[in-house]
Amino acid sequence: MINNPILRCLNLNKTFKDSYAVTDITFEISEGEILAILGPSGCGKTTTLRLIAGFETPELGSIEIAGKLMSGPGTFIAPEKRNVGMVFQDYALFPHLSVIDNVGYGLKNTGQEEARLRMVLTMAGLVRLQNRMPNELSGGEQQRVALARALVRSPNILLLDEPFSNLDIKLRQQVRVEVKDILKNNGVSSLFVTHDQREAFEMGDRIIILNEGHIEQVGTAEDIYEHPNTTFVAQFVGIADFLPIYTTANTTQCALGSLYIKQNLTNMANVTLMIRPTDTSICPSDQGSGTIISRIYQGAFTLYRILLNTGDFVHSLVPSKQKLQIGTKVNLRLKSDHIPRCFEGDRAINIA
Amino acid sequence: MNAEIQNRFIRNRNSIFFIWTLTLFLITACSGSSTSSVVPEPDTNAQDKITNSNKDILTVYSGRSESLVGPIIDQFAISTGVDVAVKYGKTPQLAATILEEGAKSPADIFFAQDPGGLAAVENLLIPIAENTLNQVPEWARSTDAKWVGISGRARTVVYNPNNIDESDLPNDMWGFVEPQWNGRIGWAPANASFQTMVTGMRTLWGEDKTREWLNGIQRNEPTIYPKNTPQVAAVARGEIDVGFVNHYYLFRFLAEEGDDFPVRNYHPRAGGPGSVIMVAGAGILESSKNKTTAEKFLGFMLSEIAQQYFTAQTYEYPLIDGVKTSRILVPIDEINHPNMPLSSFADLEGTGKLLRETGILP
Amino acid sequence: MKSLIDSKSFASKTKQNGSMWVLWLPSMFVVIAMSLPLIWLFARSIDAGSDFWDLVLRPRTLSIMLRSISLVIAVTITSALIAVPMAWLTTRTDLPYRKLWGIIAPLPLVIPSYIGAFLVVIALGPKGLLQDGLDLVFGIEQIPSIYGFTGAWLTLSLLSYPYIFLPVRATLSRMDRSIEEASHNLGKGSWSTFKNITLPLLKPSITSGGILVALYTLTDFGAVSILHYETFTWAVYIQFESMIDRSMASIFSLILVLLAILILLPTTLYSNKGRLYRNDPGTPTLPPPIPLGKWRFIATLFCIIVILFSLVIPMSVLTYWLVRGFEFFPSLTNILTATWNTFSIAIIASIMALVSSIPIAILAVRYPNSWTKLLERWTYMGFALPGLVIALALVFFGSQFATPLYQTRTLLVFGYLILFIPGCLGSLQSSLEQINPRLEEAARSLGSGGLKVFLSITLPLLRPGIMSGLALVFLLTAKELPATLILAPIGFSTLATLIWSNASEAFFAQTAAYSLVLILLSSLPMIFLISKRT
């Protein structure tokens, strides 16, 4: 699918005493692509970045950057020789250097370094701040300095470690847009890690879901949201409820009624149907199949949590103009455009 | 920052202050009142002393070290029942301490390594009883009866018999200014005994010749030592060939290292300042509240037992008649020493001036 | 960062409304205590006759001053050159047995300079152990003289580099590693990163350690007297010890104070930019050590040589003396008594120094301005004067104005306080600087009262600084000689005083026994401290 990957990781393995280990990590990034690694804390996201940057040595597997082997059997290129840019979680600005000295730190004497420095400072909007010390900058400004410093050497690939986690939420939104613009406008191939699903969806061309050190799924945001490979992925990228499926010779049923599924599920055990809150509609009814037990008002929409008579829970997101109180009996129905996704145990079943 | 947090800040500081004062108070209280359970600490508190003055208590400032005089002072305490408290230190430091204390000094006796230390505090001493003084020869006591010699020591030249034959050593100190001694001499010009010798030199030779001698030795680039012991060790190692010291250091080395220790004493055969006899002595402070006991102490130190102790244990010369000098020492009569009263060693200030002028001391 | 600015502006506000006395009052007590020796020196120097200017202004005084200054500069630089690479090697690289090196490296601090210098002469002096060895193996009969500058410089550097090693190592081990990684990531190798990033960030620790080394060198008497290098402190002692000339000694001491101010002044003007406390680091585990590669051998050799000369040789010579003169071994009661005395007085002194330092440390770190800076620097006055001067000043004040306290342990502890408060203050300050003031604010916002915040938040967080401050004052007290000799109650002998009395009478076996006990006793808190940190 990718012809000229700028980064290729093959079967990376690294273990630690406590956690943060990674197993069999394999993925590629193509030129100009932004790849997000999404996962809960301790899943090995940062370790993966540090392996690529060369701060850790993999026990198994190889890393190629721009066609050159960086880590692999018998090969280890020092971090300073990899031309990989990195934005650290706490930015790691040099506290004793001014903005311009921080950004210019990595430049070599080529004759053009002055021009490059100017360009990057302008691009990051730092010209006005260039003589400040790091402790005189706001969080967003420090972020931009860290980014500019990493980009000044035109790295083959840019690594960003939870780059927005130190910013407040309002600023985060704005900085995300700025950073994505800078990366896309300059065609920078980048890999960033985050535990925030919205951030990954917004920034990443593709997303890797990492859990306990292994890759659960790789794909675009849509792929991952709509076709999760595992129940973990399904629940990590949004709300998902799983209803048991009962099959007989010619019918397939769940608590919300019968389903039309071609595949024969009879010889499988523990089969469930994934339901997203947007998959259902509700209407109040005294003979309803469930009862509202909580509601969260979100503005245009309201999220209801419903206890079905069967004992299962389902979430439903409906337009807020329909106002229902807690305790109301409701009828729940699958929307007609719903494409069923079924799981056997915690793995998805491929349905044609 | 709002007012509430500000208040808490202030409260926080209040509590720090509270802990601070409390600890200060507690520690002052316990360190002030506690006496060690391990060492029975004699009471040194001036006020207590007044209330207990009927009990025999004696405070001695000793410029001679505990290992040398401790046993004989203990002997005094046992045989007289007097409670003796001794503060050990370096003679000049104790002299300076007594000068700072002035009339409030808790000391009764100052037992000094050398006459210089006693001379520095002479104004704070009282004359000693005749019969005590008369036990020692006239040359071994101060002219105005302020202090008395307790033990005698001779100046000497230490040399390494493996490197030098005794017959190659010059007849007197003057010989060491010859260029053949260049780089072979060690001395300790800051040492009080050395300075006493220089004072003697000034009396015997006069100011000019002494200056010439000092300059002459300096031309020979002597190695400077802070005191006598390392000089003796240096001679043994062959670092220097001769050193100007007191006689008894050698015997302490011999006791510890055995007779192979390659150093011997040489008392210049022509006499002169190189073989003067000096004393370690003691005096009674004017501020003392136990002058009678103090006299008793001096009397004991000049008794036969004590004098015997000094010659046998510290390898010094006894100062009273009837006590035999230790067999390993060269008897005082066999040393060709100049007969000088101790008063001729009194002008320490003049010696200091000379040593400064010649650039030997700062 | 924001709140740091807040707390600064808050500080100036509260100072104006006069509620700072709770910190200032105890601090002023320390200031007054520190001033006593100076007052005494001025009083005594007035006694000097008319010819004192002639004495002070003669070329010899100038040459002694130049000798002092050159020794201070040489020792400070050499100590830094030993300490900084060692600290870096033991915290950042794959040096073999680096944990062990980290524990051993600070130990030379416990060797008193009077013992160290004596042993250097035995080992490296003419006809010493080294030359005997060379003579035996290569037939070399003469080696360069150890006396004078060379010996004093070597001895003091080898004994005092831990003053720099300890703070530098502490800073290195808590420094945000991502800062160094960022530099590697930007294409810089280990050396370039060290030079451009690590070293500048170590500057405050090198400076604070360097001040201690410089002042220690300036006021050392033991090493310079044994190795015949004439410094100002030596001149002060000569005035006291051989002339008993108090006014000349006072004048020389005042010049010594001037030299100390010259050392302290530039560091007072220097202020570090940026915050020192850090946010929670995102690094999951400690980064792997830097491989030394072909440098591994040279680095190991460097550590071996330093430890060999600063620790192994001195300890071996002492052990040799002890074994050789075993029949002269002092009685166990004597050793136990002296050890207990040393231990108890050093514990009390270190706790007192700690308690006195806390208000000053809080003022200097949380409310930085020129007054608090001056206050903090003023406490170094005691470190800038020889122990003898402080002791005699206290003899005067004690016997004349505080007779009941005179020749009690209280006055002795007071003397130690004046001498050694800076040892404690430095580590407290650097510890306090790393505590984010937001943590204290957080505790207050959770409704904790002032006392509770101090006990439950500040004090536990300060613990590393408290422990190292206590350990440093403990060992400085344990080995202090002149102040102990003069100020101790009668009959109170410590290991240091017994070492002195035995060494001065050439009783080597006893000297060795007491020295070894002293070194072991002072090593215990050091080893405890360092092994806990690593």
Side-chain angles (χ1 to χ4, degrees):
Chain A
M1 144 186 106
I2 298 157
N3 295 330
N4 276 324
I6 192 81
L7 170 74
R8 176 184 278 150
C9 294
L10 203 65
N11 288 321
L12 288 182
N13 276 276
K14 177 84 187 173
T15 49
F16 290 107
K17 268 182 227 143
D18 22 35
S19 70
Y20 312 109
V22 293
T23 1
D24 287 335
I25 300 291
T26 300
F27 67 91
E28 291 176 341
I29 298 178
S30 55
E31 196 118 32
E33 188 186 22
I34 302 180
L35 185 71
I37 299 183
L38 175 65
S41 63
C43 72
K45 305 181 293 268
T46 302
T47 303
T48 310
L49 277 200
R50 293 172 59 80
L51 283 168
I52 296 166
F55 298 135
E56 305 282 355
T57 326
E59 285 147 13
L60 269 178
S62 63
I63 298 166
E64 261 177 46
I65 296 171
K68 225 181 119 197
L69 185 64
M70 293 292 167
S71 299
T75 310
F76 183 80
I77 308 287
E80 58 266 28
K81 299 204 175 101
R82 294 192 172 200
N83 199 16
V84 166
M86 183 147 177
V87 176
F88 291 82
Q89 182 173 12
D90 53 358
Y91 313 136
L93 298 183
F94 306 130
H96 59 300
L97 300 181
S98 65
V99 167
I100 191 163
D101 290 340
N102 258 286
V103 175
Y105 182 80
L107 279 175
K108 289 202 174 74
N109 280 337
T110 56
Q112 270 115 48
E113 75 271 14
E114 198 60 31
R116 174 75 188 155
L117 185 56
R118 289 277 130 230
M119 205 196 95
V120 172
L121 285 174
T122 315
M123 176 193 81
L126 293 168
V127 176
R128 208 169 37 84
L129 307 170
Q130 63 181 29
N131 292 322
R132 297 250 191 106
M133 297 303 284
N135 63 328
E136 298 166 328
L137 299 176
S138 73
E141 289 162 349
Q142 290 186 32
Q143 228 289 329
R144 297 211 303 268
V145 176
L147 185 65
R149 187 179 70 177
L151 287 177
V152 80
R153 283 164 25 106
S154 317
N156 287 323
I157 182 164
L158 182 69
L159 309 173
L160 302 101
D161 186 4
E162 302 260 4
F164 309 108
S165 63
N166 278 338
L167 304 176
D168 58 67
I169 291 178
K170 224 178 150 184
L171 195 62
R172 211 180 279 184
Q173 186 81 34
Q174 179 199 331
V175 173
R176 273 207 296 251
V177 176
E178 284 174 13
V179 169
K180 187 165 184 179
D181 283 352
I182 291 174
L183 296 182
K184 280 294 171 194
N185 292 343
N186 292 278
V188 182
S189 321
S190 10
L191 174 65
F192 81 100
V193 306
T194 178
H195 60 268
D196 182 342
Q197 167 250 331
R198 280 186 61 183
E199 203 165 284
F201 279 23
E202 213 173 298
M203 299 265 309
D205 295 329
R206 282 188 307 140
I207 294 157
I208 293 177
I209 307 286
L210 208 59
N211 184 31
E212 289 176 347
H214 66 268
I215 294 181
E216 294 263 341
Q217 191 167 358
V218 185
T220 62
E222 280 162 302
D223 273 345
I224 283 171
Y225 189 80
E226 290 170 16
H227 307 291
N229 279 346
T230 61
T231 52
F232 171 81
V233 174
Q235 284 172 314
F236 196 72
V237 298
I239 297 170
D241 300 301
F242 295 92
L243 294 178
I245 291 177
Y246 312 100
T247 47
T248 58
N250 40 22
T251 58
T252 310
Q253 276 203 300
C254 73
L256 299 182
S258 56
L259 302 161
Y260 177 70
I261 294 171
K262 272 194 215 155
Q263 208 145 339
N264 187 359
L265 304 172
T266 42
N267 51 0
M268 297 184 186
N270 213 357
V271 180
T272 53
L273 175 74
M274 177 185 87
I275 310 236
R276 295 278 188 203
T278 45
D279 288 343
T280 52
S281 60
I282 53 177
C283 62
S285 153
D286 287 344
Q287 283 83 45
S289 54
T291 314
I292 294 175
I293 54 168
S294 77
R295 63 189 291 258
I296 299 167
Y297 179 74
Q298 297 180 340
F301 291 89
T302 302
L303 180 69
Y304 292 97
R305 188 159 182 247
I306 295 147
L307 172 62
L308 295 179
N309 297 341
T310 55
D312 300 305
F313 291 96
V314 175
H315 288 83
S316 185
L317 191 67
V318 298
S320 289
K321 56 187 176 198
Q322 187 185 5
K323 290 199 190 322
L324 297 167
Q325 296 307 312
I326 291 171
T328 313
K329 285 240 167 208
V330 289
N331 249 333
L332 214 72
R333 238 183 331 179
L334 280 171
K335 286 181 183 165
S336 53
D337 57 355
H338 167 247
I339 300 160
R341 185 147 180 93
C342 299
F343 288 77
E344 184 192 13
D346 56 5
R347 303 215 69 87
I349 304 164
N350 267 326
I351 296 171
Chain B
M1 194 163 303
N2 61 34
E4 195 189 346
I5 292 177
Q6 196 166 320
N7 277 334
R8 291 206 165 107
F9 248 110
I10 293 160
R11 243 191 287 156
N12 184 24
R13 286 200 307 272
N14 270 317
S15 59
I16 297 168
F17 179 65
F18 170 72
I19 297 169
W20 195 87
T21 21
L22 187 75
T23 321
L24 186 73
F25 176 77
L26 281 177
I27 291 176
T28 314
C30 38
S31 66
S33 61
S34 73
T35 43
S36 166
S37 53
V38 185
V39 210
E41 237 176 278
D43 202 345
T44 58
N45 202 305
Q47 276 178 326
D48 291 350
K49 206 176 285 161
I50 298 165
T51 54
N52 294 334
S53 58
N54 46 352
K55 218 177 118 194
D56 253 356
I57 294 178
L58 198 68
T59 303
V60 177
Y61 279 13
S62 173
R64 310 205 60 194
S65 80
E66 184 167 13
S67 44
L68 292 181
V69 299
I72 195 68
I73 293 177
D74 288 347
Q75 192 65 46
F76 167 76
I78 292 165
S79 60
T80 57
V82 174
D83 215 343
V84 190
V86 192
K87 182 177 185 64
Y88 292 99
K90 303 180 187 180
T91 297
Q93 289 184 357
L94 288 173
T97 304
I98 291 171
L99 287 175
E100 290 302 334
E101 291 167 344
K104 297 216 173 170
S105 178
D108 299 302
I109 297 267
F110 181 30
F111 194 173
Q113 182 79 270
D114 52 76
L118 289 161
V121 298
E122 211 160 35
N123 291 338
L124 297 168
L125 300 176
I126 51 155
I128 297 166
E130 284 282 302
N131 54 354
T132 312
L133 278 175
N134 286 341
Q135 284 182 275
V136 305
E138 223 180 303
W139 62 264
R141 59 200 201 209
S142 99
T143 35
D144 45 4
K146 288 288 184 69
W147 47 268
V148 61
I150 303 286
S151 55
R153 53 263 306 267
R155 278 305 281 186
T156 187
V157 175
V158 281
Y159 68 101
N160 189 327
N162 298 340
N163 300 342
I164 295 185
D165 206 71
E166 195 185 322
S167 57
D168 294 337
L169 291 164
N171 288 336
D172 71 353
M173 293 305 277
W174 185 258
F176 289 108
V177 303
E178 298 296 331
Q180 66 178 101
W181 293 102
N182 194 301
R184 300 167 67 189
I185 303 172
W187 68 355
N191 176 270
S193 299
F194 172 83
Q195 290 172 14
T196 307
M197 179 189 79
V198 174
T199 315
M201 213 175 247
R202 288 168 54 223
T203 315
L204 288 169
W205 288 355
E207 207 78 9
D208 291 341
K209 194 176 174 189
T210 307
R211 186 193 307 270
E212 234 172 284
W213 183 78
L214 290 169
N215 288 332
I217 298 294
Q218 275 201 295
R219 267 197 305 277
N220 278 340
E221 295 167 345
T223 310
I224 302 160
Y225 293 88
K227 50 191 184 181
N228 289 325
T229 318
Q231 259 188 100
V232 180
V235 169
R237 285 197 304 274
E239 191 175 311
I240 44 174
D241 286 337
V242 290
F244 305 154
V245 298
N246 292 349
H247 77 277
Y248 46 85
Y249 294 98
L250 170 66
F251 300 103
R252 296 185 195 149
F253 274 96
L254 290 175
E256 193 156 329
E257 312 247 345
D259 283 344
D260 307 340
F261 186 71
V263 177
R264 290 297 176 266
N265 280 347
Y266 164 67
H267 300 283
R269 52 187 88 83
S275 50
V276 292
I277 308 287
M278 308 165 304
V279 297
I284 300 170
L285 278 108
E286 200 175 1
S287 55
S288 165
K289 311 228 159 39
N290 306 286
K291 296 192 175 84
T292 338
T293 319
E295 283 284 353
K296 227 191 276 176
F297 179 85
L298 295 185
F300 179 82
M301 287 301 152
L302 291 172
S303 70
E304 228 167 278
I305 305 172
Q307 292 290 304
Q308 192 63 56
Y309 168 85
F310 283 118
T311 182
Q313 299 299 315
T314 70
Y315 314 110
E316 288 171 287
Y317 291 104
L319 292 180
I320 63 167
D321 292 337
V323 176
K324 260 211 187 134
T325 303
S326 165
R327 271 185 300 119
I328 59 168
L329 298 181
V330 182
I332 217 162
D333 304 331
E334 287 174 26
I335 299 172
N336 183 2
H337 64 96
N339 248 326
M340 303 166 72
L342 275 186
S343 59
S344 48
F345 297 108
D347 184 23
L348 195 66
E349 213 172 301
T351 301
K353 209 169 165 216
L354 187 61
L355 290 170
R356 271 191 198 128
E357 280 169 14
T358 48
I360 293 165
L361 289 184
Chain C
M1 168 201 64
K2 247 183 181 166
S3 62
L4 188 72
I5 295 162
D6 284 353
S7 69
K8 271 184 199 168
S9 57
F10 156 73
S12 51
K13 253 183 275 160
T14 42
K15 200 175 76 215
Q16 276 149 15
N17 67 34
S19 59
M20 296 286 285
W21 64 272
V22 282
L23 289 174
W24 276 103
L25 199 71
S27 305
M28 285 324 282
F29 171 79
V30 175
V31 167
I32 292 167
M34 290 292 168
S35 312
L36 290 179
L38 275 187
I39 296 170
W40 179 77
L41 284 177
F42 274 114
R44 283 282 168 267
S45 56
I46 288 170
D47 297 347
S50 55
D51 56 354
F52 108 86
W53 281 116
D54 300 340
L55 282 167
V56 169
L57 294 176
R58 75 211 150 117
R60 181 143 167 94
T61 313
L62 190 71
S63 86
I64 295 175
M65 188 183 284
L66 288 177
R67 292 161 78 87
S68 285
I69 292 172
S70 50
L71 184 68
V72 165
I73 292 173
V75 169
T76 312
I77 291 176
T78 314
S79 298
L81 288 179
I82 296 173
V84 176
M86 263 199 140
W88 187 79
L89 286 171
T90 53
T91 48
R92 288 287 192 270
T93 69
D94 62 349
L95 181 79
Y97 304 109
R98 62 192 177 119
K99 268 193 181 163
L100 186 69
W101 287 119
I103 292 173
I104 296 174
L107 290 183
L109 201 59
V110 306
I111 300 178
S113 72
Y114 46 89
I115 298 178
F118 200 41
L119 299 176
V120 161
V121 173
I122 303 284
L124 303 180
K127 309 275 178 187
L129 299 176
L130 176 70
Q131 209 214 305
D132 279 355
L134 289 175
D135 196 5
L136 208 70
V137 182
F138 304 107
I140 298 171
E141 280 184 13
Q142 199 149 14
I143 50 170
S145 170
I146 198 72
Y147 290 112
F149 181 82
T150 325
W153 163 64
L154 271 180
T155 311
L156 288 170
S157 303
L158 284 172
L159 294 183
S160 56
Y161 77 85
Y163 284 115
I164 300 179
F165 177 85
L166 285 171
V168 167
R169 189 177 145 85
T171 310
L172 273 176
S173 46
R174 65 173 179 252
M175 188 186 282
D176 193 343
R177 291 294 289 272
S178 58
I179 288 178
E180 285 161 292
E181 288 182 347
S183 170
H184 284 294
N185 182 252
L186 292 166
K188 306 288 172 164
S190 294
W191 168 242
S192 172
T193 301
F194 178 77
K195 196 181 68 181
N196 294 313
I197 302 300
T198 320
L199 202 58
L201 293 174
L202 288 177
K203 225 164 93 185
S205 339
I206 298 175
T207 312
S208 71
I211 289 177
L212 293 185
V213 173
L215 294 181
Y216 179 80
T217 307
L218 192 62
T219 58
D220 174 75
F221 174 66
V224 297
S225 67
I226 292 170
L227 292 159
H228 328 151
Y229 186 72
E230 300 171 359
T231 63
F232 242 96
T233 301
W234 174 79
V236 169
Y237 270 79
I238 294 293
Q239 302 312 318
F240 274 123
E241 309 253 288
S242 77
M243 320 283 190
I244 318 184
D245 186 340
R246 290 179 295 166
S247 43
M248 271 309 287
S250 308
I251 290 160
F252 279 130
S253 303
L254 285 174
I255 300 175
L256 204 56
V257 171
L258 266 168
L259 282 180
I261 290 172
L262 275 181
I263 293 171
L264 290 171
L265 206 60
T267 60
T268 312
L269 300 175
Y270 163 83
S271 64
N272 49 26
K273 295 177 194 164
R275 52 150 204 239
L276 285 166
Y277 56 88
R278 55 189 275 204
N279 294 321
D280 195 58
T283 322
T285 49
L286 268 184
I290 297 166
L292 286 170
K294 59 183 174 190
W295 293 99
R296 210 156 171 238
F297 174 73
I298 293 170
T300 314
L301 193 69
F302 167 72
C303 293
I304 288 177
I305 289 176
V306 170
I307 297 301
L308 183 73
F309 282 101
S310 60
L311 203 66
V312 177
I313 291 182
M315 296 294 273
S316 319
V317 174
L318 288 176
T319 314
Y320 169 68
W321 280 349
L322 187 64
V323 172
R324 194 192 51 178
F326 203 73
E327 68 256 48
F328 298 102
F329 194 80
S331 79
L332 205 59
T333 352
N334 282 354
I335 289 188
L336 285 178
T337 309
T339 308
W340 167 249
N341 284 347
T342 309
F343 176 78
S344 58
I345 201 81
I347 285 277
I348 294 173
S350 41
I351 292 173
M352 284 300 299
L354 170 73
V355 171
S356 320
S357 306
I358 287 178
I360 301 173
I362 294 177
L363 276 176
V365 173
R366 289 284 187 261
Y367 311 94
N369 60 41
S370 20
W371 286 107
T372 52
K373 194 88 186 171
L374 184 70
L375 168 74
E376 184 239 316
R377 291 296 151 164
W378 188 253
T379 62
Y380 281 83
M381 208 46 87
F383 219 73
L385 282 169
L388 179 64
V389 171
I390 284 159
L392 286 174
L394 288 185
V395 165
F396 173 74
F397 287 107
S399 63
Q400 304 306 317
F401 306 112
T403 319
L405 289 182
Y406 183 58
Q407 287 198 354
T408 63
R409 284 178 219 196
T410 311
L411 198 71
L412 178 60
V413 167
F414 190 67
Y416 289 143
L417 273 191
I418 296 180
L419 276 167
F420 301 134
I421 276 187
C424 193
L425 189 62
S427 42
L428 267 189
Q429 263 180 289
S430 55
S431 213
L432 197 60
E433 268 161 5
Q434 286 148 45
I435 301 177
N436 190 332
R438 267 175 280 183
L439 292 175
E440 289 163 27
E441 289 161 19
R444 279 181 207 108
S445 71
L446 293 169
S448 295
L451 180 67
K452 202 177 157 198
V453 170
F454 182 74
L455 292 178
S456 64
I457 306 293
T458 317
L459 217 52
L461 288 173
L462 265 180
R463 226 179 60 178
I466 289 177
M467 296 309 282
S468 59
L470 285 178
L472 193 56
V473 177
F474 181 91
L475 71 94
L476 285 172
T477 307
K479 66 180 183 179
E480 167 62 24
L481 182 59
T484 314
L485 270 182
I486 292 174
L487 291 175
I490 287 177
F492 186 83
S493 45
T494 66
L495 292 167
T497 62
L498 289 175
I499 290 168
W500 161 77
S501 76
N502 285 296
S504 61
E505 302 303 335
F507 297 137
F508 290 116
Q510 278 101 320
T511 308
Y514 290 118
S515 304
L516 283 171
V517 174
L518 174 64
I519 291 171
L520 290 179
L521 182 71
S522 322
S523 304
L524 291 180
M526 288 301 279
I527 290 174
F528 171 77
L529 181 77
I530 299 152
S531 54
K532 227 176 160 189
R533 198 182 279 156
T534 42

